[in-house]
Amino acid sequence: MTMMSSGTREGGGGARRRVERRRGVGALCHVLAAGLTREDAAWRARFLEAVRRVLPAAAFVGLRDWRVGEAPIRPARDVRLLSMDVQTSDPRRVAAFDVLPAAGRRFDDWDIQLISAAARLSALLIEIEDLRRECRVQAGRAVPERQEKAAPIVGSSESMRVLRERIERVAATDFTVLIE
């Protein structure tokens, strides 16, 4: 028996599984974080592949989502399929995280906990995909910039440099400013 840092006693196998679970969830978070830094069409596929890697008992991992009124994406008809609801902020959106065990395998408690964590992380992935899609739509509707430009400010003194810096800071906002 080994003593765990939390004060509970577990066998060596339990401690090893706990470390594996933390590493597995950490790997999934790493894939999500890596996808945040760049626009990536294969982000979802990479996330699902990462789930598949940390869950060796799974033969298939999938994420289905659709809007109410659209034809739902149906899972494969297999009684062994484990399907978990994925909560989204849009009440018109339905999502499910599906996992199918490999032939001759069963999901144990550790696997179920990891699948549950992956389902929660997939909710985050869906939300980010929706926000990116919304940003692209809004960018397409953006009002073109006005072509008129203000006359340049002449001067190179310290007070003129400070004035230019303030103008640059305020220009990034929607405030109206009068300079006297």
Side-chain angles (χ1 to χ4, degrees):
M1 295 289 226
T2 59
M3 183 63 83
M4 303 303 294
S5 61
S6 63
T8 61
R9 293 178 60 88
E10 285 194 17
R16 185 178 58 79
R17 293 302 292 263
R18 190 174 300 175
V19 169
E20 288 174 2
R21 186 177 331 136
R22 279 195 302 266
R23 285 184 183 149
V25 172
L28 300 180
C29 291
H30 177 73
V31 170
L32 282 179
L36 287 174
T37 59
R38 63 184 182 281
E39 191 72 25
D40 188 357
W43 188 31
R44 183 183 286 213
R46 261 199 290 291
F47 174 74
L48 294 174
E49 178 55 32
V51 173
R52 180 62 202 92
R53 278 193 309 271
V54 299
L55 193 64
F60 168 79
V61 177
L63 177 59
R64 300 175 289 130
D65 64 299
W66 63 95
R67 296 203 181 278
V68 173
E70 293 178 354
I73 303 165
R74 302 274 182 216
R77 292 188 181 263
D78 193 319
V79 294
R80 300 175 305 142
L81 181 72
L82 174 63
S83 187
M84 293 190 166
D85 289 339
V86 175
Q87 300 294 318
T88 64
S89 62
D90 184 352
R92 296 165 296 152
R93 178 170 223 126
V94 181
F97 189 80
D98 301 323
V99 184
L100 185 66
R105 302 284 300 263
R106 295 183 64 134
F107 295 131
D108 61 15
D109 290 342
W110 181 87
D111 295 330
I112 300 296
Q113 289 175 5
L114 191 60
I115 292 167
S116 178
R120 285 190 219 109
L121 289 172
S122 66
L124 180 62
L125 183 137
I126 289 172
E127 294 298 323
I128 294 168
E129 286 177 340
D130 282 349
L131 287 171
R132 284 182 172 171
R133 192 175 306 113
E134 186 177 315
C135 286
R136 281 193 302 270
V137 168
Q138 287 179 358
R141 289 189 223 152
V143 178
E145 281 188 38
R146 292 187 294 179
Q147 296 299 320
E148 66 184 62
K149 299 273 183 176
I153 298 175
V154 179
S156 59
S157 67
E158 179 64 21
S159 60
M160 294 304 287
R161 186 188 61 74
V162 169
L163 177 63
R164 282 191 191 91
E165 288 175 1
R166 287 182 181 166
I167 290 171
E168 287 176 11
R169 281 194 310 237
V170 173
T173 68
D174 291 333
F175 295 112
T176 302
V177 177
L178 172 64
I179 300 173
E180 295 186 276

